Amino acid sequence: MALMDFTTLTEPDPPEVTVRADAVSDEKLTLRLTDLTLTDVSFLPSSAAAVPVGIVSMLLSKPAASAVRQFFEDRTLDLPIDQLLRTSFPAGDTEVKVRLDRPELGSHNGMLMISGTVSVS
């Protein structure tokens, strides 16, 4: 345990995060964080030495939540998806390779859909 230890609580717990799929390629899916519901970040003292600082940290709970939201909103994250777009399987003495070429993003009944041209070799 550190000299000054704090337990962090968020409201809501966990924070609600909304992302949008921005782009897809053969190697990655790009997600953009469009909304972060976070109204409060509380720092509760977990050690005796942290108690005096705990009062000040309680005053910072709303500004801390606002700073976290501003920092993360509209950020992008690239997720590698190389293995999701290619696969292979044995068929007798041959290995069949299936690949999704020219992937495109779309949606179907509110769900993310990745479509494209399938190449089989």
Side-chain angles (χ1 to χ4, degrees):
M1 182 181 286
L3 177 64
M4 291 186 132
D5 249 356
F6 293 89
T7 301
T8 305
L9 301 174
T10 63
E11 182 62 40
D13 184 29
E16 297 170 13
V17 178
T18 304
V19 296
R20 181 184 74 216
D22 265 2
V24 66
S25 70
D26 286 343
E27 289 113 19
K28 66 183 178 182
L29 172 65
T30 302
L31 300 176
R32 180 173 303 279
L33 194 146
T34 59
D35 188 41
L36 174 61
T37 302
L38 179 65
T39 57
D40 195 64
V41 178
S42 300
F43 305 100
L44 304 176
S46 295
S47 64
V51 171
V53 180
I55 297 167
V56 175
S57 70
M58 289 302 196
L59 297 173
L60 296 175
S61 64
K62 298 276 186 212
S66 176
V68 169
R69 283 193 314 272
Q70 288 177 4
F71 179 80
F72 282 108
E73 283 182 349
D74 211 35
R75 296 271 177 163
T76 59
L77 171 68
D78 291 333
L79 298 175
I81 58 171
D82 184 52
Q83 293 302 314
L84 295 178
L85 300 179
R86 297 181 184 118
T87 189
S88 62
F89 57 90
D93 294 338
T94 306
E95 182 179 11
V96 177
K97 296 179 181 178
V98 180
R99 174 184 161 87
L100 182 65
D101 291 327
R102 295 187 305 272
E104 295 178 10
L105 285 177
S107 64
H108 178 71
N109 292 333
M111 295 181 291
L112 174 66
M113 182 174 73
I114 299 175
S115 61
T117 304
V118 176
S119 297
V120 180
S121 59

